[in-house]
Amino acid sequence: MPTPTPFRTGSVVVRAVTVFVLTVGLVGAGSWVPTQSRDEAATVSAVTRSWAQLGEMLRTVDVVHALFYSAMKVWLDMEGISTLTLRAPSVLACGLAAGLVVVLGSLLLTPRAGLLAGLLMAVCPRVTLVGTEGRSGAWFTAAAVLLVLLVVLATRRPSALWVLPVALATALVGGLHVYSALLLPVLVVWLWAPPDPQGRPRRVLHLGLPPGRWPPLVGLVLGVVPVALLAWRARDQQAQVDWIDPPTAESLAKIATETVAPLNGLWAVLAWATAAAGLVWLARNRRGRRGTTFLLVGWAVVPGLVLITVSAVWTPLYSQRYLAFCVGALALLGGAGIASVRRGWLAFCLAAALPLASAVTYRDQREVDAWDSWAEIAAIVAYRGNPGDPVVDYPLVSAIAVSYPGALGTGPVLNAGEDRLSRRYLWDDRLPLTAVEPRLRGVQRLWYLSPVGDETRRTLEIRRLRQLGFSGEMLQRSDAEQTWLFTRTAAQAERGDLLIAAG
């Protein structure tokens, strides 16, 4: 039975750094082109406050992102806010994730498999997507690989010194996203019931912890304490995941594709096929690698199964984007699968097929409207509007003014309520049009921006605007919102004002 390829630290580091640089270049290219997303507007909304105001906001909403917001505030306070500076940390995190996969693959598998796994990670559509958004997705993806790497190193070179780094990495993973803590049970089981080095049957239950395994296990336990406290603190903020729908047959059918390759089923099929080949190779080359299959398969599938189960029996929590931290396991299995192909031409074809398959979504991810249509809305308003035109909008749409101040001109927001700082929330409050009708007096031009999902309210409000003499046309429609321009003559405005006064 073959033995693992010798691990040469110098060559592995060179490969990891090379993959890091390649990934940063690939993910970073054009990352500044897409208009900022609404989630990125939440980041901007959070970091453009004083530290005291940020603390007050976190007591109301998004406490689970406290670590991310704090780090981004430090960074953006130094560098200033732009689309590039907002996304640069995510680009670097993607490079770090790919580089760490190279090291982890070289430890668990072979140096060749580790290199291929890092390259596979670099072209993964989920990775190239999270690298173009100023959110924590890329961060907790890299942190998950770091945690697994530290735990594996701790078992290879036992020492009590591993307690602190493993604890810090555990707190980092859970602090960046609580759901990432679903990786911890896999690591605990892997540590507590390791394979016998002599190849004897696996013992599932142990009365005592196997030698050399207690430092990383203690580190995991210590690190999960602040994560548990964070989750407990966030229990009163469940409203922030109200947008998640219960799992459906359609969403379940996409769990193996959309989690790793949004809108790119071909890439997902190729990746899972190479991962299956990697499992076959691991089954045939178990010497020195016992337990690796459990670790990688558990990392890849257990968090998703847990989220789906909880969503089905309790409350909806499953979202495909939340499982980005599982991509590292798929990349490692896929790297092993490609490395196991003996025919050079076939291995080359497989290695080339994955980046080619990712090219379509890579291009789409770097379109201006890849995330949201804020830039298009601003362009329409700038072209068709006047600087002082009043606006009626709602929280889903009003995020544009957070990311792009002045994008909707300098006119008043007629349905403005309490501002975001006063209400300790991400967004300004927006009132229904019926509550602010007196503010329409004398208005002859009006921009109306409405979320697509608010069809009932939009229908009623547009009907009322027409009763008040406005004529409107929809100038733009995206998956998220509609942009309408309403106008009326001075005479129509006068008659409408009389209706408002009479009402």
Side-chain angles (χ1 to χ4, degrees), residues 374-458:
W374 297 159
E376 186 178 354
I377 297 172
I380 292 173
V381 173
Y383 180 71
R384 294 288 300 270
N386 295 320
D389 285 348
V391 176
V392 170
D393 64 19
Y394 291 97
L396 177 63
V397 180
S398 63
I400 184 175
V402 175
S403 291
Y404 301 97
L408 300 180
T410 58
V413 178
L414 296 185
N415 62 331
E418 191 176 14
D419 68 85
R420 59 192 175 97
L421 297 181
S422 300
R423 66 195 301 246
R424 301 180 180 88
Y425 200 69
L426 290 167
W427 319 116
D428 296 335
D429 189 25
R430 290 294 185 261
L431 304 173
L433 188 61
T434 53
V436 295
E437 274 194 3
R439 300 179 187 178
L440 291 171
R441 290 175 177 170
V443 173
Q444 293 181 244
R445 288 171 56 88
L446 172 69
W447 289 97
Y448 182 86
L449 297 96
S450 168
V452 168
D454 289 349
E455 183 175 359
T456 300
R457 176 161 61 180
R458 181 173 58 254

Side-chain angles (χ1 to χ4, degrees), residues 157-340:
R157 299 179 180 180
S159 169
L161 297 177
W162 288 109
V163 172
L164 181 59
V166 171
L168 291 175
T170 303
L172 177 64
V173 168
L176 289 173
H177 204 288
V178 173
Y179 290 178
S180 302
L182 295 173
L183 172 60
L184 302 186
V186 176
L187 292 174
V188 169
V189 173
W190 183 74
L191 285 171
W192 200 277
D196 191 285
Q198 302 303 319
R200 293 188 291 266
R202 186 183 188 89
R203 295 174 295 166
V204 177
L205 298 178
H206 291 256
L207 296 179
L209 190 65
R213 299 286 176 127
W214 71 266
L217 185 60
V218 171
L220 291 173
V221 173
L222 292 177
V224 82
V225 172
V227 179
L229 294 175
L230 178 64
W232 179 258
R233 175 65 184 83
R235 74 191 189 282
D236 296 328
Q237 298 181 2
Q238 288 294 318
Q240 67 190 63
V241 292
D242 283 350
W243 59 271
I244 301 179
D245 295 323
T248 62
E250 183 180 1
S251 63
L252 292 177
K254 294 180 178 179
I255 187 172
T257 57
E258 292 297 300
T259 53
V260 299
L263 304 178
N264 194 335
L266 175 60
W267 193 95
V269 169
L270 289 172
W272 284 109
T274 58
L279 289 175
V280 173
W281 181 84
L282 279 170
R284 294 177 177 176
N285 299 271
R286 289 178 292 178
R287 186 175 178 183
R289 302 185 185 90
R290 293 180 181 274
T292 300
T293 299
F294 170 82
L295 175 61
L296 297 183
V297 172
W299 179 6
V301 304
V302 167
L305 292 177
V306 171
L307 279 182
I308 284 290
T309 302
V310 172
S311 298
V313 303
W314 181 43
T315 186
L317 296 177
Y318 168 72
S319 175
Q320 296 150 353
R321 63 189 303 176
Y322 292 159
L323 295 174
F325 67 94
C326 299
V327 171
L330 176 64
L332 288 164
L333 289 171
I338 298 174
S340 69

Side-chain angles (χ1 to χ4, degrees), residues 53-87:
Q53 290 169 337
L54 177 59
E56 292 174 351
M57 187 203 82
L58 293 174
R59 283 194 285 271
T60 304
V61 67
D62 267 4
V63 69
V64 292
H65 297 304
L67 177 60
F68 171 73
Y69 286 154
S70 298
M72 287 296 287
K73 179 169 175 57
V74 172
W75 162 251
L76 294 173
D77 281 351
M78 292 190 301
E79 299 299 324
I81 298 177
S82 69
T83 302
L84 181 60
T85 58
L86 189 63
R87 293 170 179 170

